[in-house]
Amino acid sequence: MVDFDAIRAQFPILDQQVHGHPLVYLDSAATSQKPQCVIDAESEYYRTINAGVHRGAHELAARATEAFEQARAKVARLVGADWQEGQEEIVVTGGATAGLNLLATAFGNASLGRGGAAAQRFALKPGDEIVVSKAEHHSVLLPFQELAARTGATLKWFDLTPDGRVRAEDAGEVITERTKVVAVCHVANVTGAITDIAPIIRRTHEVGAVFVLDACQSVPHLKIDFHALDVDFAAWSAHKMYGPTGVGFLYGRRELLEALPPASFGGSMVELAWMDQPAQYMAPPERFEAGTQPVAQVVAAGVAADWLRGIGMENVEAHERTIAAELLKLGDIDGFRILGPRENVDRIGTVAFDVDGVHPHDVGQYIDAQGIAIRVGHHCAQPVHRHFGLYASNRASTGVYNTVEDAQALLEAARGVRPFFGL
Ligand SMILES: Cc1ncc(COP(=O)(O)O)c(C=O)c1O
């Protein structure tokens, strides 16, 4: 039995009052709070071993490099990726957005003939297709839309069911022999729905295309094994998995990382550089990690990964499901509509809702006045809002530190919204 009260007690930020009420933080889909061990790891790194990694011959540099590479291995273990030297499948990025842009840029570079014959599997040309879904965060939609514009490829997408799920059953029609890249979310950041990715991945591979997973909202909440899922690439951010801001990870199947051309260029990614000849790039992951890396943040993200594994992702999943069940009662309040699946099945504790007759910002402000933090706006996912006939919404989302009482506090506050606005 995991003691989730003891886990909650590890988050110092939660022990405070907001507007005279105990803080209830229900905005983990935007960013999670950090346990003390993660906060300590970052400052401990600066206090004891801070140095440039992969460079200096001095002892501190060796220790910093060791800590950096160990963190990579810890993150790999959380998601079922390889970490042995020469087999690494985790690339350090600035976050999910940076990882997705890295991929789209690298595919664009391959389309220009960069990376030689091996990279041609990523090359796009007019007539080729890139497939996303209407549920995507803009950090998936826009890089791949841009890639389509740069290469002349056509952008296509999966439509959604009335309750906002990606229509995976359409994989046979949406993904065709012309499809080269398929990029979809594992869990949608507005609806909280888990995408049925298995048939999409099967079809993607049947036509010889590459499958990219946006794992931002799944890695912190679900047990993940990228090898078992047969995913080609996956991107996510450390700050949503109890780690620091400014850092994220890109998983790539080793064979694919080896074939992928680099997307950014500079120090620490090159074996040999000349004035009059092309540079010879390093093997992955360094090939994709140009410049000085956010080492302290990566080290702390490794601590976050180990900390999550220590709780057990099955336990995290089960705990958050109990809170999701409570949050879904928002849909029972007069004038409230859940944007996403109403049943507590194949979803996480991210619950977006619309309140008839009250602007989402007014709803958010009213709820904030009770010390409850939820998100308002379009959550960087405008097409899915259009699907629901809206521009913006409110969104409550869970983390390991939330309790059923947190959800009940939101429910109580939510019941007061429409009466407060005279409805
Ligand atoms: C599903 C999803 N994908 C991608 C992102 C982008 O993450 P970041 O802003 O950390 O790069 C987010 C962040 O909200 C998200 O929820």
Side-chain angles (χ1 to χ4, degrees), residues 98-177:
L100 292 158
N101 275 279
L102 184 166
L103 275 183
T105 305
F107 294 170
N109 291 346
S111 310
L112 295 170
R114 307 298 298 156
Q120 279 308 293
R121 62 197 301 173
F122 307 114
L124 290 136
K125 59 181 184 318
D128 288 343
E129 295 169 351
I130 300 172
V131 173
V132 295
S133 91
K134 259 195 200 170
E136 298 315 313
H137 190 279
H138 297 165
S139 65
V140 172
L141 172 61
L142 300 186
F144 288 106
Q145 201 168 53
E146 276 294 318
L147 177 63
R150 283 202 303 275
T151 58
T154 303
L155 188 79
K156 294 175 68 182
W157 51 89
F158 279 96
D159 215 326
L160 308 179
T161 60
D163 64 355
R165 286 190 187 279
V166 175
R167 290 177 53 96
E169 64 271 30
D170 295 348
E173 296 118 66
V174 180
I175 300 170
T176 73
E177 296 294 332

Side-chain angles (χ1 to χ4, degrees), residues 343-373:
E343 334 76 63
N344 199 10
V345 178
D346 293 334
R347 60 146 36 258
I348 66 162
T350 291
V351 179
F353 56 97
D354 176 54
V355 181
D356 189 28
V358 190
H359 192 281
H361 279 90
D362 291 336
V363 175
Q365 224 169 0
Y366 177 85
I367 285 172
D368 173 59
Q370 336 268 325
I372 303 169

